[in-house]
Amino acid sequence: MEIKKKGGIIPMVYHAKTDIILAIIIFLLVWMFGAIPLFLFIRSLSTVIIMSMVFIISVVFIWWYANSIKFVFCENYLLVKGGPFKSKIPYQSITRVSPTTDKYTGYLISSSDKGLEIFYKTAAHGSIKILPKDKMKFILELKKRCPNAQIPHNQIFD
């Protein structure tokens, strides 16, 4: 249910389930593979300062991305946002929703849960994978806004 406010409707927001440990592991792996070759070239204090700044910027970016993933039900579209990345999915273009066990693609940072795959006509790859914290509430809201989408009633979305 959306709440009406003076200037219009406040969109419904669902936050993503994130696995902070996995985000830290991803960050460390990426940084280690990028930093190890640079250690061979450490010859001055300026190199250490530059590497420290890259480290700090990397930490901030990965933390921001992992903690900002959200799904916003706007009036005419579903907005999927994570860090600087956004996808606007018009409700009329959503064709199907199904569970997915593909853990490491799309807008999800999780190592343990199963996500949702939303298929829509305007997608570059045909679908997007997401992991809202409360999947059942999310699916119920999606059913209201996309009555023509194929969302099986007997499907388990745990």
Side-chain angles (χ1 to χ4, degrees):
M1 171 197 300
E2 291 181 322
I3 302 167
K4 295 197 180 213
K5 70 175 191 174
K6 192 175 184 179
I9 296 175
I10 297 174
M12 293 191 67
V13 177
Y14 290 83
H15 292 278
K17 192 180 227 180
T18 49
D19 186 348
I20 299 302
I21 293 171
L22 179 64
I24 291 169
I25 290 170
I26 290 170
F27 163 76
L28 289 175
L29 287 173
V30 168
W31 202 80
M32 280 179 16
F33 285 116
I36 289 173
L38 291 176
F39 282 121
L40 301 173
F41 301 107
I42 293 179
R43 303 278 187 251
S44 67
L45 180 63
S46 63
T47 306
V48 172
I49 292 171
I50 290 170
M51 286 181 60
S52 298
M53 293 304 295
V54 168
F55 176 77
I56 291 168
I57 290 169
S58 299
V59 167
V60 169
F61 181 79
I62 290 172
W63 186 261
W64 172 47
Y65 176 76
N67 288 311
S68 70
I69 300 173
K70 60 185 172 183
F71 317 107
V72 183
F73 284 98
C74 297
E75 193 171 335
N76 298 317
Y77 58 89
L78 173 66
L79 176 66
V80 180
K81 185 175 184 209
F85 309 107
K86 295 180 187 178
S87 297
K88 286 184 179 180
I89 305 170
Y91 297 129
Q92 68 271 12
S93 73
I94 296 175
T95 58
R96 180 167 56 105
V97 177
S98 64
T100 182
T101 56
D102 192 2
K103 299 174 188 172
Y104 303 110
T105 60
Y107 282 88
L108 46 97
I109 296 180
S110 175
S111 62
S112 59
D113 272 344
K114 298 171 186 167
L116 301 174
E117 187 166 10
I118 299 176
F119 295 87
Y120 61 105
K121 297 173 190 170
T122 57
H125 300 288
S127 68
I128 189 168
K129 295 170 183 88
I130 63 171
L131 181 58
K133 281 183 184 173
D134 191 344
K135 283 187 250 181
M136 290 314 295
K137 278 187 179 178
F138 180 87
I139 290 168
L140 289 173
E141 186 63 32
L142 197 59
K143 282 182 183 181
K144 286 184 216 171
R145 295 171 186 261
C146 307
N148 296 329
Q150 295 176 0
I151 305 172
H153 297 292
N154 58 353
Q155 182 70 53
I156 297 172
F157 288 98
D158 297 334

mmCIF file with all atom_site columns, all heavy atoms in Angstrom, residues 133-149:
data_model
loop_
_atom_site.group_PDB
_atom_site.id
_atom_site.type_symbol
_atom_site.label_atom_id
_atom_site.label_alt_id
_atom_site.label_comp_id
_atom_site.label_asym_id
_atom_site.label_entity_id
_atom_site.label_seq_id
_atom_site.pdbx_PDB_ins_code
_atom_site.Cartn_x
_atom_site.Cartn_y
_atom_site.Cartn_z
_atom_site.occupancy
_atom_site.B_iso_or_equiv
_atom_site.pdbx_formal_charge
_atom_site.auth_seq_id
_atom_site.auth_comp_id
_atom_site.auth_asym_id
_atom_site.auth_atom_id
_atom_site.pdbx_PDB_model_num
ATOM 1   N N   . LYS A 1 133 ? 14.679 -8.414  1.127   1.00 0.00 ? 133 LYS A N   1
ATOM 2   C CA  . LYS A 1 133 ? 14.655 -9.008  2.468   1.00 0.00 ? 133 LYS A CA  1
ATOM 3   C C   . LYS A 1 133 ? 13.360 -9.782  2.699   1.00 0.00 ? 133 LYS A C   1
ATOM 4   O O   . LYS A 1 133 ? 13.381 -10.882 3.212   1.00 0.00 ? 133 LYS A O   1
ATOM 5   C CB  . LYS A 1 133 ? 14.807 -7.926  3.534   1.00 0.00 ? 133 LYS A CB  1
ATOM 6   C CG  . LYS A 1 133 ? 16.209 -7.470  3.726   1.00 0.00 ? 133 LYS A CG  1
ATOM 7   C CD  . LYS A 1 133 ? 16.299 -6.454  4.850   1.00 0.00 ? 133 LYS A CD  1
ATOM 8   C CE  . LYS A 1 133 ? 17.714 -5.925  4.959   1.00 0.00 ? 133 LYS A CE  1
ATOM 9   N NZ  . LYS A 1 133 ? 17.825 -4.834  5.899   1.00 0.00 ? 133 LYS A NZ  1
ATOM 10  N N   . ASP A 1 134 ? 12.244 -9.194  2.357   1.00 0.00 ? 134 ASP A N   1
ATOM 11  C CA  . ASP A 1 134 ? 10.955 -9.851  2.553   1.00 0.00 ? 134 ASP A CA  1
ATOM 12  C C   . ASP A 1 134 ? 10.383 -10.218 1.185   1.00 0.00 ? 134 ASP A C   1
ATOM 13  O O   . ASP A 1 134 ? 9.623  -9.460  0.584   1.00 0.00 ? 134 ASP A O   1
ATOM 14  C CB  . ASP A 1 134 ? 10.006 -8.932  3.324   1.00 0.00 ? 134 ASP A CB  1
ATOM 15  C CG  . ASP A 1 134 ? 8.760  -9.640  3.781   1.00 0.00 ? 134 ASP A CG  1
ATOM 16  O OD1 . ASP A 1 134 ? 8.461  -10.741 3.268   1.00 0.00 ? 134 ASP A OD1 1
ATOM 17  O OD2 . ASP A 1 134 ? 8.076  -9.104  4.664   1.00 0.00 ? 134 ASP A OD2 1
ATOM 18  N N   . LYS A 1 135 ? 10.760 -11.400 0.703   1.00 0.00 ? 135 LYS A N   1
ATOM 19  C CA  . LYS A 1 135 ? 10.377 -11.813 -0.649  1.00 0.00 ? 135 LYS A CA  1
ATOM 20  C C   . LYS A 1 135 ? 8.870  -11.918 -0.845  1.00 0.00 ? 135 LYS A C   1
ATOM 21  O O   . LYS A 1 135 ? 8.356  -11.517 -1.874  1.00 0.00 ? 135 LYS A O   1
ATOM 22  C CB  . LYS A 1 135 ? 11.022 -13.151 -0.994  1.00 0.00 ? 135 LYS A CB  1
ATOM 23  C CG  . LYS A 1 135 ? 12.471 -13.051 -1.347  1.00 0.00 ? 135 LYS A CG  1
ATOM 24  C CD  . LYS A 1 135 ? 12.966 -14.386 -1.837  1.00 0.00 ? 135 LYS A CD  1
ATOM 25  C CE  . LYS A 1 135 ? 13.884 -14.937 -0.797  1.00 0.00 ? 135 LYS A CE  1
ATOM 26  N NZ  . LYS A 1 135 ? 14.458 -16.211 -1.133  1.00 0.00 ? 135 LYS A NZ  1
ATOM 27  N N   . MET A 1 136 ? 8.170  -12.466 0.139   1.00 0.00 ? 136 MET A N   1
ATOM 28  C CA  . MET A 1 136 ? 6.731  -12.677 -0.030  1.00 0.00 ? 136 MET A CA  1
ATOM 29  C C   . MET A 1 136 ? 5.978  -11.345 -0.128  1.00 0.00 ? 136 MET A C   1
ATOM 30  O O   . MET A 1 136 ? 5.094  -11.199 -0.976  1.00 0.00 ? 136 MET A O   1
ATOM 31  C CB  . MET A 1 136 ? 6.168  -13.540 1.102   1.00 0.00 ? 136 MET A CB  1
ATOM 32  C CG  . MET A 1 136 ? 6.637  -14.990 1.016   1.00 0.00 ? 136 MET A CG  1
ATOM 33  S SD  . MET A 1 136 ? 6.548  -15.738 -0.634  1.00 0.00 ? 136 MET A SD  1
ATOM 34  C CE  . MET A 1 136 ? 4.804  -15.758 -0.939  1.00 0.00 ? 136 MET A CE  1
ATOM 35  N N   . LYS A 1 137 ? 6.300  -10.369 0.700   1.00 0.00 ? 137 LYS A N   1
ATOM 36  C CA  . LYS A 1 137 ? 5.661  -9.046  0.605   1.00 0.00 ? 137 LYS A CA  1
ATOM 37  C C   . LYS A 1 137 ? 5.987  -8.401  -0.741  1.00 0.00 ? 137 LYS A C   1
ATOM 38  O O   . LYS A 1 137 ? 5.137  -7.785  -1.365  1.00 0.00 ? 137 LYS A O   1
ATOM 39  C CB  . LYS A 1 137 ? 6.114  -8.129  1.738   1.00 0.00 ? 137 LYS A CB  1
ATOM 40  C CG  . LYS A 1 137 ? 5.389  -8.336  3.021   1.00 0.00 ? 137 LYS A CG  1
ATOM 41  C CD  . LYS A 1 137 ? 5.816  -7.264  4.012   1.00 0.00 ? 137 LYS A CD  1
ATOM 42  C CE  . LYS A 1 137 ? 5.100  -7.403  5.329   1.00 0.00 ? 137 LYS A CE  1
ATOM 43  N NZ  . LYS A 1 137 ? 5.558  -6.387  6.284   1.00 0.00 ? 137 LYS A NZ  1
ATOM 44  N N   . PHE A 1 138 ? 7.236  -8.550  -1.160  1.00 0.00 ? 138 PHE A N   1
ATOM 45  C CA  . PHE A 1 138 ? 7.664  -7.994  -2.444  1.00 0.00 ? 138 PHE A CA  1
ATOM 46  C C   . PHE A 1 138 ? 6.852  -8.614  -3.576  1.00 0.00 ? 138 PHE A C   1
ATOM 47  O O   . PHE A 1 138 ? 6.355  -7.914  -4.455  1.00 0.00 ? 138 PHE A O   1
ATOM 48  C CB  . PHE A 1 138 ? 9.161  -8.245  -2.645  1.00 0.00 ? 138 PHE A CB  1
ATOM 49  C CG  . PHE A 1 138 ? 9.702  -7.707  -3.938  1.00 0.00 ? 138 PHE A CG  1
ATOM 50  C CD1 . PHE A 1 138 ? 10.145 -6.402  -4.017  1.00 0.00 ? 138 PHE A CD1 1
ATOM 51  C CD2 . PHE A 1 138 ? 9.754  -8.499  -5.071  1.00 0.00 ? 138 PHE A CD2 1
ATOM 52  C CE1 . PHE A 1 138 ? 10.640 -5.893  -5.212  1.00 0.00 ? 138 PHE A CE1 1
ATOM 53  C CE2 . PHE A 1 138 ? 10.242 -8.008  -6.268  1.00 0.00 ? 138 PHE A CE2 1
ATOM 54  C CZ  . PHE A 1 138 ? 10.684 -6.700  -6.338  1.00 0.00 ? 138 PHE A CZ  1
ATOM 55  N N   . ILE A 1 139 ? 6.707  -9.933  -3.559  1.00 0.00 ? 139 ILE A N   1
ATOM 56  C CA  . ILE A 1 139 ? 5.973  -10.630 -4.619  1.00 0.00 ? 139 ILE A CA  1
ATOM 57  C C   . ILE A 1 139 ? 4.498  -10.237 -4.612  1.00 0.00 ? 139 ILE A C   1
ATOM 58  O O   . ILE A 1 139 ? 3.900  -10.034 -5.670  1.00 0.00 ? 139 ILE A O   1
ATOM 59  C CB  . ILE A 1 139 ? 6.150  -12.151 -4.487  1.00 0.00 ? 139 ILE A CB  1
ATOM 60  C CG1 . ILE A 1 139 ? 7.595  -12.505 -4.848  1.00 0.00 ? 139 ILE A CG1 1
ATOM 61  C CG2 . ILE A 1 139 ? 5.177  -12.912 -5.372  1.00 0.00 ? 139 ILE A CG2 1
ATOM 62  C CD1 . ILE A 1 139 ? 7.998  -13.910 -4.509  1.00 0.00 ? 139 ILE A CD1 1
ATOM 63  N N   . LEU A 1 140 ? 3.911  -10.109 -3.424  1.00 0.00 ? 140 LEU A N   1
ATOM 64  C CA  . LEU A 1 140 ? 2.505  -9.694  -3.342  1.00 0.00 ? 140 LEU A CA  1
ATOM 65  C C   . LEU A 1 140 ? 2.312  -8.303  -3.942  1.00 0.00 ? 140 LEU A C   1
ATOM 66  O O   . LEU A 1 140 ? 1.357  -8.055  -4.673  1.00 0.00 ? 140 LEU A O   1
ATOM 67  C CB  . LEU A 1 140 ? 2.021  -9.728  -1.888  1.00 0.00 ? 140 LEU A CB  1
ATOM 68  C CG  . LEU A 1 140 ? 1.838  -11.124 -1.301  1.00 0.00 ? 140 LEU A CG  1
ATOM 69  C CD1 . LEU A 1 140 ? 1.529  -11.029 0.189   1.00 0.00 ? 140 LEU A CD1 1
ATOM 70  C CD2 . LEU A 1 140 ? 0.750  -11.887 -2.034  1.00 0.00 ? 140 LEU A CD2 1
ATOM 71  N N   . GLU A 1 141 ? 3.235  -7.399  -3.646  1.00 0.00 ? 141 GLU A N   1
ATOM 72  C CA  . GLU A 1 141 ? 3.144  -6.048  -4.209  1.00 0.00 ? 141 GLU A CA  1
ATOM 73  C C   . GLU A 1 141 ? 3.348  -6.089  -5.721  1.00 0.00 ? 141 GLU A C   1
ATOM 74  O O   . GLU A 1 141 ? 2.671  -5.385  -6.469  1.00 0.00 ? 141 GLU A O   1
ATOM 75  C CB  . GLU A 1 141 ? 4.183  -5.134  -3.553  1.00 0.00 ? 141 GLU A CB  1
ATOM 76  C CG  . GLU A 1 141 ? 4.078  -3.689  -3.958  1.00 0.00 ? 141 GLU A CG  1
ATOM 77  C CD  . GLU A 1 141 ? 2.769  -3.037  -3.543  1.00 0.00 ? 141 GLU A CD  1
ATOM 78  O OE1 . GLU A 1 141 ? 2.189  -3.400  -2.510  1.00 0.00 ? 141 GLU A OE1 1
ATOM 79  O OE2 . GLU A 1 141 ? 2.332  -2.120  -4.281  1.00 0.00 ? 141 GLU A OE2 1
ATOM 80  N N   . LEU A 1 142 ? 4.258  -6.917  -6.188  1.00 0.00 ? 142 LEU A N   1
ATOM 81  C CA  . LEU A 1 142 ? 4.505  -7.045  -7.624  1.00 0.00 ? 142 LEU A CA  1
ATOM 82  C C   . LEU A 1 142 ? 3.274  -7.617  -8.330  1.00 0.00 ? 142 LEU A C   1
ATOM 83  O O   . LEU A 1 142 ? 2.927  -7.177  -9.429  1.00 0.00 ? 142 LEU A O   1
ATOM 84  C CB  . LEU A 1 142 ? 5.728  -7.930  -7.866  1.00 0.00 ? 142 LEU A CB  1
ATOM 85  C CG  . LEU A 1 142 ? 6.369  -7.869  -9.235  1.00 0.00 ? 142 LEU A CG  1
ATOM 86  C CD1 . LEU A 1 142 ? 6.828  -6.455  -9.553  1.00 0.00 ? 142 LEU A CD1 1
ATOM 87  C CD2 . LEU A 1 142 ? 7.544  -8.825  -9.301  1.00 0.00 ? 142 LEU A CD2 1
ATOM 88  N N   . LYS A 1 143 ? 2.589  -8.559  -7.700  1.00 0.00 ? 143 LYS A N   1
ATOM 89  C CA  . LYS A 1 143 ? 1.369  -9.128  -8.289  1.00 0.00 ? 143 LYS A CA  1
ATOM 90  C C   . LYS A 1 143 ? 0.287  -8.062  -8.452  1.00 0.00 ? 143 LYS A C   1
ATOM 91  O O   . LYS A 1 143 ? -0.433 -8.057  -9.453  1.00 0.00 ? 143 LYS A O   1
ATOM 92  C CB  . LYS A 1 143 ? 0.827  -10.257 -7.409  1.00 0.00 ? 143 LYS A CB  1
ATOM 93  C CG  . LYS A 1 143 ? 1.558  -11.560 -7.556  1.00 0.00 ? 143 LYS A CG  1
ATOM 94  C CD  . LYS A 1 143 ? 0.914  -12.622 -6.670  1.00 0.00 ? 143 LYS A CD  1
ATOM 95  C CE  . LYS A 1 143 ? 1.668  -13.920 -6.755  1.00 0.00 ? 143 LYS A CE  1
ATOM 96  N NZ  . LYS A 1 143 ? 1.070  -14.970 -5.928  1.00 0.00 ? 143 LYS A NZ  1
ATOM 97  N N   . LYS A 1 144 ? 0.193  -7.155  -7.471  1.00 0.00 ? 144 LYS A N   1
ATOM 98  C CA  . LYS A 1 144 ? -0.802 -6.077  -7.561  1.00 0.00 ? 144 LYS A CA  1
ATOM 99  C C   . LYS A 1 144 ? -0.517 -5.159  -8.738  1.00 0.00 ? 144 LYS A C   1
ATOM 100 O O   . LYS A 1 144 ? -1.422 -4.717  -9.424  1.00 0.00 ? 144 LYS A O   1
ATOM 101 C CB  . LYS A 1 144 ? -0.795 -5.227  -6.277  1.00 0.00 ? 144 LYS A CB  1
ATOM 102 C CG  . LYS A 1 144 ? -1.408 -5.873  -5.086  1.00 0.00 ? 144 LYS A CG  1
ATOM 103 C CD  . LYS A 1 144 ? -1.393 -4.862  -3.948  1.00 0.00 ? 144 LYS A CD  1
ATOM 104 C CE  . LYS A 1 144 ? -1.138 -5.522  -2.632  1.00 0.00 ? 144 LYS A CE  1
ATOM 105 N NZ  . LYS A 1 144 ? -0.908 -4.558  -1.563  1.00 0.00 ? 144 LYS A NZ  1
ATOM 106 N N   . ARG A 1 145 ? 0.756  -4.866  -8.945  1.00 0.00 ? 145 ARG A N   1
ATOM 107 C CA  . ARG A 1 145 ? 1.135  -3.890  -9.971  1.00 0.00 ? 145 ARG A CA  1
ATOM 108 C C   . ARG A 1 145 ? 1.315  -4.510  -11.345 1.00 0.00 ? 145 ARG A C   1
ATOM 109 O O   . ARG A 1 145 ? 1.299  -3.793  -12.341 1.00 0.00 ? 145 ARG A O   1
ATOM 110 C CB  . ARG A 1 145 ? 2.396  -3.164  -9.543  1.00 0.00 ? 145 ARG A CB  1
ATOM 111 C CG  . ARG A 1 145 ? 2.152  -2.326  -8.302  1.00 0.00 ? 145 ARG A CG  1
ATOM 112 C CD  . ARG A 1 145 ? 3.443  -1.783  -7.765  1.00 0.00 ? 145 ARG A CD  1
ATOM 113 N NE  . ARG A 1 145 ? 3.242  -1.107  -6.516  1.00 0.00 ? 145 ARG A NE  1
ATOM 114 C CZ  . ARG A 1 145 ? 3.136  0.204   -6.384  1.00 0.00 ? 145 ARG A CZ  1
ATOM 115 N NH1 . ARG A 1 145 ? 3.196  0.983   -7.434  1.00 0.00 ? 145 ARG A NH1 1
ATOM 116 N NH2 . ARG A 1 145 ? 2.971  0.737   -5.200  1.00 0.00 ? 145 ARG A NH2 1
ATOM 117 N N   . CYS A 1 146 ? 1.527  -5.804  -11.406 1.00 0.00 ? 146 CYS A N   1
ATOM 118 C CA  . CYS A 1 146 ? 1.744  -6.507  -12.679 1.00 0.00 ? 146 CYS A CA  1
ATOM 119 C C   . CYS A 1 146 ? 0.781  -7.682  -12.781 1.00 0.00 ? 146 CYS A C   1
ATOM 120 O O   . CYS A 1 146 ? 1.207  -8.849  -12.711 1.00 0.00 ? 146 CYS A O   1
ATOM 121 C CB  . CYS A 1 146 ? 3.174  -7.013  -12.773 1.00 0.00 ? 146 CYS A CB  1
ATOM 122 S SG  . CYS A 1 146 ? 4.428  -5.784  -12.503 1.00 0.00 ? 146 CYS A SG  1
ATOM 123 N N   . PRO A 1 147 ? -0.502 -7.418  -12.960 1.00 0.00 ? 147 PRO A N   1
ATOM 124 C CA  . PRO A 1 147 ? -1.468 -8.520  -12.978 1.00 0.00 ? 147 PRO A CA  1
ATOM 125 C C   . PRO A 1 147 ? -1.275 -9.483  -14.160 1.00 0.00 ? 147 PRO A C   1
ATOM 126 O O   . PRO A 1 147 ? -1.681 -10.634 -14.086 1.00 0.00 ? 147 PRO A O   1
ATOM 127 C CB  . PRO A 1 147 ? -2.820 -7.814  -13.051 1.00 0.00 ? 147 PRO A CB  1
ATOM 128 C CG  . PRO A 1 147 ? -2.523 -6.453  -13.589 1.00 0.00 ? 147 PRO A CG  1
ATOM 129 C CD  . PRO A 1 147 ? -1.132 -6.129  -13.163 1.00 0.00 ? 147 PRO A CD  1
ATOM 130 N N   . ASN A 1 148 ? -0.625 -9.030  -15.231 1.00 0.00 ? 148 ASN A N   1
ATOM 131 C CA  . ASN A 1 148 ? -0.430 -9.883  -16.401 1.00 0.00 ? 148 ASN A CA  1
ATOM 132 C C   . ASN A 1 148 ? 0.840  -10.725 -16.331 1.00 0.00 ? 148 ASN A C   1
ATOM 133 O O   . ASN A 1 148 ? 1.055  -11.589 -17.166 1.00 0.00 ? 148 ASN A O   1
ATOM 134 C CB  . ASN A 1 148 ? -0.411 -9.041  -17.674 1.00 0.00 ? 148 ASN A CB  1
ATOM 135 C CG  . ASN A 1 148 ? -1.748 -8.370  -17.918 1.00 0.00 ? 148 ASN A CG  1
ATOM 136 O OD1 . ASN A 1 148 ? -2.793 -8.899  -17.549 1.00 0.00 ? 148 ASN A OD1 1
ATOM 137 N ND2 . ASN A 1 148 ? -1.710 -7.190  -18.507 1.00 0.00 ? 148 ASN A ND2 1
ATOM 138 N N   . ALA A 1 149 ? 1.695  -10.454 -15.345 1.00 0.00 ? 149 ALA A N   1
ATOM 139 C CA  . ALA A 1 149 ? 2.945  -11.211 -15.218 1.00 0.00 ? 149 ALA A CA  1
ATOM 140 C C   . ALA A 1 149 ? 2.665  -12.621 -14.717 1.00 0.00 ? 149 ALA A C   1
ATOM 141 O O   . ALA A 1 149 ? 1.748  -12.832 -13.922 1.00 0.00 ? 149 ALA A O   1
ATOM 142 C CB  . ALA A 1 149 ? 3.897  -10.498 -14.265 1.00 0.00 ? 149 ALA A CB  1
#
